[in-house]
Amino acid sequence: MEITRSSLRLMVLILCGLLLIFTLVQYPYAPSDKAELLDCSTNSPWCTFKNRFQLSTSKILKNPAQHQTRNHATDVPRHPLDPLTVTELNQVRNIILSHPFFTTASSYSLHSVVLEEPSKPLVLRWTQNEPVLPRKASVVAIVDGKSHVFTVDLSINQVTRHQIGSQTGYPMMTVEDMTSATWAPLMDTTFNRTIIERGVDLKDLACLPISLGWYGKREENRRLINVQCYTMKDTVNFYMRPIEGLTVLVDMETKRVVEISDKGRNIPIPNAANTDYRFSKFNSRQQLNLLNPISIEQPNGPSFTVEDGHLVKWANWEFHLKPDPRAGVIVSRARVRDPDTGRMRSVMYKGMTSELFVPYMDPTEAWYFKTYMDAGEYGFGLQAMPLDPLNDCPRNAYYMDGVFAAADGRPYVQSNMVCIFERYAGDIGWRHSESPITGMPIREVRPKVTLVARMAASVANYDYIVDWEFQTDGLIRIKVGLSGILMVKGTPYENVNQISNEEDLYGTLLSENVIGIIHDHYITFYLDMDIDDSDNSFVKVHLEKHETAPGESPRMTYLKATKHVAKTEKDAQIKLKLYDPYEFHVVNPTKKTRVGNPVGYKVVSSGTAASLLDLDDPPQKRGAFTNNQIWVTPYNESEVWAGGLFVYQSRGDDTLQVWSDRDRSIEKKDIVLWYTLGFHHIPCQEDFPIMPTVSSSFDLKPVNFFERNPILRVPPNVENDLPVCKAAASN
Amino acid sequence: MEITRSSLRLMVLILCGLLLIFTLVQYPYAPSDKAELLDCSTNSPWCTFKNRFQLSTSKILKNPAQHQTRNHATDVPRHPLDPLTVTELNQVRNIILSHPFFTTASSYSLHSVVLEEPSKPLVLRWTQNEPVLPRKASVVAIVDGKSHVFTVDLSINQVTRHQIGSQTGYPMMTVEDMTSATWAPLMDTTFNRTIIERGVDLKDLACLPISLGWYGKREENRRLINVQCYTMKDTVNFYMRPIEGLTVLVDMETKRVVEISDKGRNIPIPNAANTDYRFSKFNSRQQLNLLNPISIEQPNGPSFTVEDGHLVKWANWEFHLKPDPRAGVIVSRARVRDPDTGRMRSVMYKGMTSELFVPYMDPTEAWYFKTYMDAGEYGFGLQAMPLDPLNDCPRNAYYMDGVFAAADGRPYVQSNMVCIFERYAGDIGWRHSESPITGMPIREVRPKVTLVARMAASVANYDYIVDWEFQTDGLIRIKVGLSGILMVKGTPYENVNQISNEEDLYGTLLSENVIGIIHDHYITFYLDMDIDDSDNSFVKVHLEKHETAPGESPRMTYLKATKHVAKTEKDAQIKLKLYDPYEFHVVNPTKKTRVGNPVGYKVVSSGTAASLLDLDDPPQKRGAFTNNQIWVTPYNESEVWAGGLFVYQSRGDDTLQVWSDRDRSIEKKDIVLWYTLGFHHIPCQEDFPIMPTVSSSFDLKPVNFFERNPILRVPPNVENDLPVCKAAASN
């Protein structure tokens, strides 16, 4: 009976496969339309989910009242850094697809269509009332299997530049690449038989596209992906139900299975029990209501404005903010008002997540290659899903949409991708009470209120929450939160007492048959600091133990600060050391405070982790941008992606390490600061079936930038300013 | 003219001095009454301020509506760990002062009168409906110049134990010690002449008592203090106007000047301009109104209760909280509810700030000794002033008073010393969206709400904000914020360009004639972890690079976690290293999760700093508890103050380092975890004239303590639960 049903399904799937091949030939590289043509989609909820993709990104799942649905059809760029509009994306598509190179091609896909930002001097000279600067697009495409980069000039309707891409890496995957990779195994009868033999109904199958890095010949000269699968039976949290040891190597161009590795037949699929995390699935007895309602309220509305869709003005700050398919969000031209002169002063020309590196620590066949680069491989912005109002961001948040291009160049809207809100967390901006020692009747306290720009990228299982937080005292905090779901491994073990050597698990037994594998997360930020002007220097302020001379002092030792200006890039390859502390300043050496200190900002580390892999281990070569926590490079338009522009299957020949090793001069230059935030993650049972957020951050902090405390003259809270609130919105 | 006025003042002050001597003889050690008898107090606002001390700690400066004024006269202890009540403190005073040892003494002062906590097993067995356990007080006194420790049994009205204190250190100063030390120099004509010669009117004088550590013979066998002075002319921020180089050594017992060091005559007193920070001193044009009102609102009220004044119950947490004159606040019996069993589970028996160490990095005569220990020398709780509602803590905060004993044993109330509030900061407890890869319509997000217990200690210039933050996911974050005012040094320099070698400033030129001296802050926490029970082990989980065997894997390296159970104290003397990472677990080895992991909590470091002074440098010997970031000791009732019980002028023979070096067994024992949070502070101009808060924290985080994510079943926010708010309370 069971066999018969399986055979039937097999036949349907073979038919499916044939249909798919037909479709692929007839409708090359327009996968967003393709799913509807697949008969299998009517059988598999997994396929059906895919069809819902357009829906889920353009429509809203709940709390509809909260969402500002915007029509982007008539958007017009107002600022030279504004992202391409729907109209412009359509124009780029028309220009590029009518270019002879494309009209003669047998296949193509567009992997990135974004604004080519005008040159820095032009942007710096531009003022808000001027017409926007000439608009150009940068297009990364794969045409007949080869990577290309085009510049499209929208003012003259022409492709003005065309470069052949690198041989050693590929562009960021398109969403269509990822989704189609997950269907590809279904065309393979061996695969289907394996799935059925594992006791998984094909309709319950859920597969993930897993970038495979680069380890040698096999990963060269063709665009490949590994696909691994799970069962969705009895849970939406299929991540907890791996079909362990089964890895399908798929050619992303042909969509064909290249190789199947099937080593986990003896490993049971973990149970679905206790894996679902949706609130709607718990009955009222199971629900855990711990708290009364609590909310950040601003009865007179927020204090920020977003002009022309992207220019954020709040308190003493002004910056340009835009969604980006690869970086997630880009903060540009961050400027702060000097309380003494009233003038806006430049702090950072551009800041963004440049790359991520997430190596898993299991060298076995189905795991060794898991060393994700979530920005350059998957698109950190492409994966940034609509935020959930009242939960992802508080009331009064402003939501910004992303307007991106699909693989066929057609624009689509990633709605509510970024939120901006003011945060009051009960914290203190500054304070002083006089103590009982003096007994003076003084108590001056100022509450701390900040502005947060947030996105949350769901790169398959994991959720990354990225906050850019601006403080009125001039500090910028960049915070990364990790939540979502672990990537777990199936195992025959049900209890630690069955395991002779726990180390060999490569992780922690989280539940019966489930191991959470040890892994690291590195998030590398590009920070083009422009302290009052572009030409800056990087100064290492060394705190060193100094010994007093005999008879000089009853003290034997004290710490002394010495300043070292980094001359070249190698002077600025920094590994942090608790017992050899430094401050790291970016200063404008030509601009001094009244008493003669160079104006500057410092980068302040908080909790972080360092990569310990061998420098010549292939993943670490590709992730070489994590070899140091801090780097400084001279500004170079082409050096923005720390793992290289073409990071997919790259060999590490275009990383920050390679650029920095040129050892160029960085003194009194337009310089870019790079900071890597790291996490080691040894999973624990609390991470099952979904992880409480873990976060860390680093700060960019003014250091002798202002003449004095810039928030000296802000008022305290008084009762009369605060709102009067009634119990509930429903009343 | 100028000279005549000065002479007149000198005469008044000599008279003052004589009067003071008369007073000291007639009214020994009751300084809180004494100020009123001093004629000089009518001349000097500084003296007048002292008289205001009682006022400022018992009355409220502003926002009177917010304050819950409580009458503590009828307080009754309900919990065995409740602090001594007003009634009990009076009882202790009666018992101790009628003890023959005191009735025959020629002088005495009480330096600490606190609850002697019942033994741990008794407290653990006690349940809430039982009568409170027998009450005892621990009294530290100086009697005829010698230190003593008494146990007073309140149930039998007797002194039941009497120990002679250590010879190598003295008890914490009383507030009366500190204030009287600042008047003492005025009795010295040489001092007064010096002040006048510096151009400072004696009525403008403000002096600070500065603990002098221990450097050798001079600091032995008598209780000494250094006094340094400032001018208050034209500013309340006298800290920015040092009379540099003038140090007066005062004997705290005789209140007499021992020695005057006067080396700064050539150093001008910095200007008062731009130093005042009080909002009321700015006119409306100067005020910087950046923001609309913003508030954390809870229309149905907070979700926590404080039973019997000290037992805090919130969400899944319960803990006992009490103010302490030395530690600031003490958190006891922190327990969290297991969502599966519904039972309260023990996490921490007791947590508190044990000691601070604040070494300044200037070896010169007037500065080398500044190596403060703010808990054991000044009383971290004694200096914790009333919090400012709406600014120190948000609306809906609950305020707890401290009830302490003065030097004469009389109880007094430190009102609103601790606040407790719920925090919603727009953060995310956990989240997951399905990405475009799967396209499943899932977006589940839970807001993060926490409970904060806060105090702010103003140890003269500096303000320390200490937060104990409890999360529903079981995490406890301990956060320390630094604000307040720098300790600065006068200098002839007005611009950095006048300085040949900037390093020799020992700091940063912050304003004309003002140097901010480099210093460190270390805050050491005592954390008596009891994971499900008292007997625990400390496990170091080492993440090490592991190389694969040839042919084993395309990967060359990966990280492997190995567990090392610390057998003895020396196994648990931990220096953190970024490139040699560990997790540090406190586990209950006899209690396992369903799948066999030992239940535990880990201590998670964030940004910190390490002391780099030589181990045998006298300040570092005294502050030896900062030699490591983490220590573990077996529970010992007498080992709670990391620098020793008698830390004032101590020589470092009773520190955590000394205890730990005994290398006792700590496996499967009742163990205490110690963590030191550190800050290096190179001042910058933004710290002038008052510092924006800098903070850091560390976490105690469940690790396989729960079977799974303990907040899996909490609800998301929905619009209907949130409040409706009107513009302002004044309307």
Side-chain angles (χ1 to χ4, degrees):
Chain A
M1 178 65 185
E2 191 56 35
I3 293 156
T4 320
R5 214 198 280 167
S6 298
S7 309
L8 255 170
R9 260 190 219 104
L10 206 62
M11 282 172 63
V12 171
L13 276 155
I14 290 162
L15 194 67
C16 238
L18 290 169
L19 246 167
L20 188 60
I21 290 160
F22 170 79
T23 312
L24 283 169
V25 172
Q26 292 298 308
Y27 302 84
Y29 302 96
S32 56
D33 305 319
K34 214 160 36 189
E36 290 137 40
L37 300 170
L38 289 174
D39 280 341
C40 80
S41 70
T42 57
N43 290 325
S44 162
W46 183 245
C47 289
T48 315
F49 283 138
K50 290 199 194 352
N51 295 340
R52 286 187 201 156
F53 161 54
Q54 295 298 329
L55 203 79
S56 66
T57 54
S58 62
K59 276 201 194 169
I60 293 321
L61 301 176
K62 50 181 172 172
N63 281 319
Q66 279 289 321
H67 281 261
Q68 304 121 325
T69 319
R70 288 189 201 82
N71 179 2
H72 292 279
T74 57
D75 283 358
V76 173
R78 305 280 183 194
H79 187 288
L81 300 177
D82 279 353
L84 295 175
T85 63
V86 168
T87 312
E88 289 176 327
L89 284 168
N90 279 322
Q91 191 187 348
V92 172
R93 183 171 188 262
N94 289 337
I95 297 167
I96 201 118
L97 297 193
S98 59
H99 188 272
F101 194 76
F102 280 80
T103 53
T104 60
S106 65
S107 77
Y108 62 83
S109 54
L110 306 188
H111 291 252
S112 169
V113 184
V114 295
L115 177 76
E116 184 168 305
E117 294 187 358
S119 75
K120 206 167 152 176
L122 287 177
V123 175
L124 290 172
R125 273 202 299 275
W126 181 85
T127 58
Q128 219 183 324
N129 298 323
E130 291 175 29
V132 80
L133 295 169
R135 302 281 285 175
K136 292 179 183 175
S138 172
V139 178
V140 176
I142 293 183
V143 183
D144 293 334
K146 292 251 176 328
S147 309
H148 299 264
V149 186
F150 301 90
T151 299
V152 176
D153 190 326
L154 293 167
S155 54
I156 54 172
N157 266 303
Q158 275 185 12
V159 172
T160 53
R161 213 169 54 138
H162 173 194
Q163 289 178 296
I164 311 293
S166 146
Q167 286 301 308
T168 68
Y170 294 103
M172 192 169 84
M173 288 185 279
T174 62
V175 171
E176 294 80 355
D177 280 335
M178 299 176 230
T179 51
S180 61
T182 65
W183 318 338
L186 285 166
M187 293 189 295
D188 189 287
T189 51
T190 316
F191 172 82
N192 293 346
R193 195 177 305 117
T194 297
I195 295 300
I196 291 156
E197 281 168 10
R198 294 276 191 116
V200 175
D201 216 321
L202 283 167
K203 77 166 168 49
D204 292 329
L205 200 66
C207 301
L208 292 178
I210 300 175
S211 59
L212 43 48
W214 165 79
Y215 291 88
K217 279 252 167 294
R218 199 184 70 155
E219 289 80 18
E220 287 170 20
N221 301 320
R222 54 181 177 173
R223 219 155 60 93
L224 296 169
I225 191 141
N226 278 331
V227 177
Q228 293 189 335
C229 301
Y230 302 80
T231 172
M232 288 191 296
K233 189 157 164 46
D234 300 329
T235 183
V236 291
N237 193 351
F238 60 85
Y239 302 103
M240 292 298 116
R241 306 204 68 193
I243 302 168
E244 192 53 49
L246 177 65
T247 308
V248 186
L249 183 67
V250 172
D251 184 312
M252 277 203 275
E253 296 303 323
T254 63
K255 314 287 171 195
R256 293 227 176 91
V257 171
V258 176
E259 200 177 291
I260 297 180
S261 163
D262 187 6
K263 299 281 172 68
R265 284 163 195 269
N266 60 332
I267 301 171
I269 295 173
N271 213 289
N274 297 317
T275 61
D276 207 330
Y277 50 86
R278 290 172 298 172
F279 191 66
S280 59
K281 295 296 152 185
F282 301 117
N283 63 41
S284 59
R285 214 171 30 79
Q286 292 170 316
Q287 293 167 7
L288 202 61
N289 282 293
L290 297 170
L291 302 169
N292 290 344
I294 184 166
S295 172
I296 299 175
E297 292 296 331
Q298 300 173 278
N300 300 337
S303 317
F304 66 88
T305 57
V306 183
E307 290 181 12
D308 300 327
H310 297 283
L311 193 65
V312 183
K313 294 184 176 181
W314 172 75
N316 45 354
W317 280 102
E318 182 182 312
F319 58 91
H320 186 274
L321 183 73
K322 67 175 161 192
D324 182 81
R326 181 163 179 171
V329 295
I330 298 178
V331 174
S332 298
R333 297 220 68 198
R335 299 190 302 160
V336 67
R337 191 177 303 281
D338 191 298
D340 289 335
T341 65
R343 284 172 47 199
M344 296 305 291
R345 294 173 61 189
S346 169
V347 175
M348 186 176 71
Y349 184 76
K350 188 174 182 173
M352 62 177 198
T353 308
S354 173
E355 193 52 273
L356 292 90
F357 178 44
V358 188
Y360 280 70
M361 301 301 173
D362 180 337
T364 60
E365 189 167 334
W367 281 81
Y368 77 88
F369 53 86
K370 293 178 184 173
T371 54
Y372 304 96
M373 300 209 177
D374 289 325
E377 292 179 341
Y378 290 86
F380 206 46
L382 292 182
Q383 312 298 332
M385 302 301 291
L387 295 162
D388 184 18
L390 306 185
N391 291 298
D392 270 323
C393 319
R395 255 187 185 180
N396 294 309
Y398 171 96
Y399 293 86
M400 191 183 285
D401 299 338
V403 177
F404 298 152
D408 61 0
R410 286 204 173 90
Y412 69 93
V413 175
Q414 194 90 308
S415 67
N416 299 307
M417 178 185 147
V418 183
C419 75
I420 303 162
F421 63 90
E422 275 170 290
R423 180 215 298 274
Y424 170 57
D427 285 328
I428 297 167
W430 59 259
R431 87 177 307 283
H432 183 60
S433 295
E434 279 296 310
S435 78
I437 300 171
T438 71
M440 288 161 76
I442 286 182
R443 190 167 62 223
E444 293 278 335
V445 190
R446 302 296 178 271
K448 177 184 279 190
V449 179
T450 62
L451 183 84
V452 178
R454 171 175 293 169
M455 61 155 246
S458 300
V459 192
N461 54 314
Y462 250 103
D463 291 53
Y464 292 90
I465 303 151
V466 180
D467 284 0
W468 286 82
E469 183 174 15
F470 294 82
Q471 297 189 179
T472 53
D473 62 6
L475 185 144
I476 305 173
R477 174 161 294 175
I478 296 110
K479 186 162 110 177
V480 176
L482 306 176
S483 187
I485 299 171
L486 286 175
M487 180 143 275
V488 304
K489 182 177 185 175
T491 174
Y493 295 122
E494 298 195 333
N495 197 293
V496 175
N497 64 22
Q498 300 164 335
I499 304 164
S500 58
N501 192 353
E502 221 186 309
E503 291 173 31
D504 295 338
L505 284 189
Y506 309 113
T508 310
L509 193 70
L510 301 179
S511 182
E512 288 80 0
N513 311 118
V514 179
I515 300 168
I517 297 293
I518 297 167
H519 57 281
D520 290 347
H521 298 264
Y522 299 98
I523 306 99
T524 298
F525 288 87
Y526 171 97
L527 305 158
D528 179 4
M529 305 302 287
D530 276 15
I531 304 303
D532 266 332
D533 203 344
S534 292
D535 284 357
N536 289 170
S537 292
F538 181 69
V539 182
K540 299 185 285 186
V541 183
H542 195 192
L543 267 178
E544 265 177 309
K545 183 177 75 177
H546 199 86
E547 292 184 9
T548 56
E552 181 189 349
S553 168
R555 277 278 280 276
M556 293 165 63
T557 52
Y558 62 100
L559 300 193
K560 210 163 187 170
T562 53
K563 295 182 178 177
H564 307 273
V565 178
K567 305 284 181 198
T568 66
E569 290 176 285
K570 286 188 180 172
D571 290 340
Q573 296 181 346
I574 309 286
K575 288 182 175 66
L576 301 174
K577 292 191 187 104
L578 184 62
Y579 279 87
D580 189 22
Y582 283 82
E583 285 194 357
F584 302 101
H585 297 196
V586 176
V587 304
N588 186 326
T590 62
K591 187 147 178 252
K592 303 273 163 86
T593 60
R594 196 185 67 243
V595 296
N597 291 302
V599 301
Y601 259 68
K602 61 180 173 180
V603 57
V604 185
S605 184
S606 176
T608 194
S611 185
L612 306 177
L613 300 180
D614 262 6
L615 295 184
D616 49 359
D617 199 356
Q620 191 61 37
K621 276 186 83 168
R622 301 178 65 234
F625 50 89
T626 64
N627 291 350
N628 297 298
Q629 285 78 52
I630 296 174
W631 316 69
V632 177
T633 58
Y635 175 81
N636 181 330
E637 272 183 10
S638 71
E639 295 174 4
V640 289
W641 307 111
L645 176 64
F646 295 107
V647 85
Y648 198 92
Q649 282 174 237
S650 65
R651 304 181 203 175
D653 44 16
D654 185 29
T655 67
L656 178 51
Q657 175 80 64
V658 173
W659 312 332
S660 170
D661 281 347
R662 286 183 214 144
D663 206 21
R664 294 161 291 188
S665 168
I666 53 171
E667 193 183 356
K668 285 199 191 186
K669 289 265 159 51
D670 188 359
I671 53 177
V672 176
L673 178 71
W674 304 78
Y675 185 83
T676 295
L677 193 61
F679 299 83
H680 296 302
H681 191 173
I682 304 176
C684 61
Q685 287 185 232
E686 286 78 3
D687 297 335
F688 178 92
I690 191 161
M691 303 187 329
T693 307
V694 172
S695 63
S696 192
S697 64
F698 68 98
D699 296 339
L700 301 171
K701 190 176 180 196
V703 57
N704 305 315
F705 183 80
F706 296 109
E707 290 291 346
R708 66 187 67 83
N709 181 337
I711 49 167
L712 183 64
R713 296 181 277 111
V714 300
N717 273 341
V718 292
E719 181 70 22
N720 283 351
D721 286 343
L722 298 185
V724 176
C725 300
K726 273 202 314 182
S730 60
N731 296 344
Chain B
M1 180 65 187
E2 193 55 35
I3 293 156
T4 318
R5 216 198 280 166
S6 299
S7 308
L8 256 169
R9 258 184 222 106
L10 205 64
M11 282 172 63
V12 171
L13 277 155
I14 290 163
L15 194 67
C16 240
L18 290 170
L19 248 166
L20 188 60
I21 290 160
F22 170 81
T23 312
L24 284 169
V25 171
Q26 292 298 308
Y27 302 85
Y29 303 97
S32 56
D33 306 316
K34 216 165 31 193
E36 290 138 38
L37 300 169
L38 290 174
D39 281 339
C40 81
S41 70
T42 57
N43 290 324
S44 163
W46 184 245
C47 290
T48 315
F49 283 138
K50 292 199 196 346
N51 295 339
R52 285 185 203 157
F53 159 54
Q54 294 299 330
L55 202 80
S56 65
T57 53
S58 61
K59 278 202 193 168
I60 292 323
L61 300 176
K62 49 181 171 171
N63 283 320
Q66 280 288 321
H67 280 261
Q68 306 121 323
T69 318
R70 288 189 200 84
N71 179 4
H72 293 278
T74 57
D75 284 358
V76 173
R78 306 281 185 194
H79 188 287
L81 300 177
D82 280 353
L84 296 176
T85 62
V86 167
T87 312
E88 289 176 326
L89 284 168
N90 279 321
Q91 191 187 348
V92 173
R93 184 171 186 261
N94 289 335
I95 298 167
I96 200 120
L97 298 194
S98 58
H99 189 272
F101 194 76
F102 281 79
T103 52
T104 60
S106 64
S107 77
Y108 61 83
S109 54
L110 306 188
H111 291 251
S112 170
V113 184
V114 295
L115 177 76
E116 184 168 304
E117 294 187 357
S119 76
K120 204 166 154 176
L122 288 177
V123 175
L124 291 172
R125 272 202 300 276
W126 182 85
T127 59
Q128 222 183 323
N129 299 320
E130 291 175 29
V132 80
L133 295 169
R135 303 281 287 174
K136 291 180 184 173
S138 172
V139 178
V140 176
I142 293 183
V143 183
D144 293 333
K146 293 250 177 326
S147 308
H148 300 264
V149 186
F150 302 88
T151 299
V152 176
D153 190 325
L154 292 167
S155 54
I156 54 170
N157 266 304
Q158 274 184 10
V159 172
T160 53
R161 211 167 55 136
H162 173 193
Q163 289 177 294
I164 310 292
S166 146
Q167 286 301 310
T168 70
Y170 293 103
M172 191 169 84
M173 287 184 279
T174 62
V175 172
E176 294 79 356
D177 280 335
M178 299 177 228
T179 50
S180 62
T182 64
W183 317 339
L186 285 166
M187 294 190 291
D188 190 286
T189 50
T190 315
F191 172 80
N192 293 345
R193 196 176 305 119
T194 298
I195 296 300
I196 291 156
E197 281 169 10
R198 294 274 191 118
V200 175
D201 215 321
L202 284 167
K203 77 169 168 46
D204 292 328
L205 200 66
C207 300
L208 292 178
I210 300 176
S211 61
L212 41 50
W214 166 78
Y215 292 88
K217 280 251 168 291
R218 199 182 69 155
E219 288 80 19
E220 288 170 18
N221 301 319
R222 52 179 177 174
R223 219 156 60 92
L224 295 169
I225 190 141
N226 277 330
V227 177
Q228 294 189 333
C229 301
Y230 301 80
T231 173
M232 289 193 293
K233 190 160 164 39
D234 301 329
T235 184
V236 292
N237 193 350
F238 61 85
Y239 302 101
M240 292 299 117
R241 305 203 69 194
I243 302 170
E244 191 54 48
L246 177 65
T247 308
V248 184
L249 183 67
V250 172
D251 184 312
M252 276 203 276
E253 296 303 324
T254 64
K255 313 290 171 191
R256 293 228 176 91
V257 171
V258 175
E259 200 177 292
I260 297 180
S261 163
D262 187 6
K263 299 282 173 69
R265 286 162 195 270
N266 60 331
I267 300 171
I269 295 172
N271 213 291
N274 298 317
T275 61
D276 207 331
Y277 50 86
R278 289 172 298 172
F279 191 65
S280 59
K281 294 298 152 184
F282 301 117
N283 63 42
S284 58
R285 212 169 32 79
Q286 292 170 316
Q287 293 167 6
L288 202 61
N289 282 293
L290 298 169
L291 302 169
N292 290 344
I294 184 166
S295 173
I296 299 175
E297 292 295 332
Q298 298 174 278
N300 300 338
S303 317
F304 66 90
T305 58
V306 183
E307 290 180 13
D308 299 328
H310 296 285
L311 194 64
V312 183
K313 294 184 176 182
W314 172 76
N316 45 354
W317 280 101
E318 181 182 312
F319 58 92
H320 186 274
L321 184 73
K322 67 175 160 194
D324 182 81
R326 182 162 178 170
V329 296
I330 298 178
V331 174
S332 298
R333 297 219 67 197
R335 300 190 301 160
V336 67
R337 191 177 303 280
D338 192 298
D340 289 337
T341 65
R343 283 176 43 204
M344 296 305 292
R345 295 174 61 190
S346 169
V347 175
M348 187 176 72
Y349 183 75
K350 186 173 181 174
M352 63 175 195
T353 307
S354 174
E355 193 51 273
L356 293 91
F357 178 45
V358 188
Y360 281 71
M361 301 302 173
D362 180 337
T364 61
E365 189 166 335
W367 281 80
Y368 77 89
F369 52 85
K370 293 178 183 172
T371 55
Y372 304 96
M373 300 209 175
D374 289 325
E377 293 179 340
Y378 291 86
F380 206 46
L382 292 182
Q383 313 298 332
M385 302 301 292
L387 295 162
D388 184 19
L390 306 185
N391 290 299
D392 269 323
C393 319
R395 255 186 184 182
N396 294 309
Y398 171 94
Y399 293 86
M400 190 183 284
D401 300 338
V403 176
F404 298 152
D408 60 0
R410 288 204 170 92
Y412 69 93
V413 175
Q414 194 91 307
S415 67
N416 298 304
M417 181 186 145
V418 182
C419 75
I420 302 161
F421 63 90
E422 274 170 290
R423 181 215 297 274
Y424 170 57
D427 285 328
I428 298 167
W430 59 260
R431 85 178 309 283
H432 183 60
S433 295
E434 279 295 311
S435 76
I437 299 170
T438 72
M440 287 161 77
I442 285 183
R443 188 167 63 224
E444 293 279 335
V445 190
R446 301 297 177 270
K448 176 183 280 189
V449 179
T450 62
L451 183 83
V452 178
R454 171 175 293 168
M455 61 154 245
S458 300
V459 193
N461 53 314
Y462 250 102
D463 290 53
Y464 291 90
I465 303 150
V466 179
D467 284 0
W468 286 82
E469 184 174 15
F470 294 82
Q471 296 189 178
T472 53
D473 62 6
L475 184 145
I476 305 174
R477 173 161 294 174
I478 297 111
K479 186 162 109 176
V480 176
L482 306 176
S483 187
I485 300 172
L486 287 174
M487 180 143 274
V488 303
K489 182 178 185 175
T491 174
Y493 296 122
E494 299 196 330
N495 196 294
V496 175
N497 64 23
Q498 299 164 334
I499 304 163
S500 58
N501 191 353
E502 224 187 308
E503 291 173 31
D504 294 338
L505 283 190
Y506 308 113
T508 309
L509 193 70
L510 301 178
S511 181
E512 288 81 0
N513 310 118
V514 179
I515 300 168
I517 298 293
I518 297 167
H519 57 281
D520 289 348
H521 297 265
Y522 298 98
I523 306 98
T524 297
F525 288 88
Y526 171 97
L527 305 157
D528 179 4
M529 305 302 289
D530 275 16
I531 304 302
D532 265 331
D533 204 343
S534 291
D535 284 356
N536 291 171
S537 292
F538 181 69
V539 181
K540 299 184 286 184
V541 183
H542 195 192
L543 267 177
E544 265 176 310
K545 183 177 75 176
H546 200 86
E547 291 182 11
T548 56
E552 179 189 350
S553 169
R555 276 278 278 277
M556 296 164 62
T557 53
Y558 62 101
L559 301 194
K560 210 162 186 171
T562 53
K563 294 181 179 178
H564 307 272
V565 178
K567 304 284 181 201
T568 65
E569 290 177 283
K570 285 189 182 173
D571 289 341
Q573 297 182 345
I574 309 285
K575 288 182 176 66
L576 302 173
K577 293 193 187 101
L578 184 62
Y579 279 88
D580 190 21
Y582 283 82
E583 284 194 358
F584 302 101
H585 297 197
V586 176
V587 304
N588 187 325
T590 62
K591 187 148 180 253
K592 302 274 165 84
T593 60
R594 196 184 66 243
V595 297
N597 291 302
V599 301
Y601 259 69
K602 61 179 173 179
V603 56
V604 184
S605 183
S606 176
T608 194
S611 185
L612 306 177
L613 300 181
D614 262 6
L615 295 184
D616 48 0
D617 199 354
Q620 191 61 38
K621 275 186 85 168
R622 302 179 65 233
F625 51 88
T626 63
N627 291 350
N628 297 299
Q629 285 77 54
I630 296 173
W631 315 68
V632 178
T633 57
Y635 174 81
N636 182 330
E637 272 183 9
S638 72
E639 295 174 3
V640 288
W641 307 111
L645 175 64
F646 295 107
V647 85
Y648 199 92
Q649 282 174 235
S650 66
R651 304 181 202 172
D653 44 17
D654 185 28
T655 67
L656 178 51
Q657 174 80 62
V658 174
W659 313 332
S660 170
D661 281 347
R662 287 184 214 144
D663 206 22
R664 294 162 290 188
S665 167
I666 53 171
E667 193 181 356
K668 286 199 192 187
K669 288 265 157 52
D670 188 359
I671 53 176
V672 176
L673 178 71
W674 304 79
Y675 184 83
T676 295
L677 193 61
F679 299 83
H680 295 302
H681 190 173
I682 305 176
C684 61
Q685 288 186 233
E686 285 78 4
D687 297 335
F688 179 93
I690 192 162
M691 301 186 333
T693 308
V694 172
S695 64
S696 192
S697 64
F698 69 97
D699 295 340
L700 301 171
K701 191 178 178 191
V703 58
N704 304 313
F705 182 81
F706 297 108
E707 289 291 346
R708 65 187 69 83
N709 181 338
I711 49 167
L712 184 64
R713 296 181 277 113
V714 300
N717 273 341
V718 292
E719 180 70 21
N720 283 351
D721 286 343
L722 297 186
V724 178
C725 300
K726 272 202 316 184
S730 60
N731 296 343

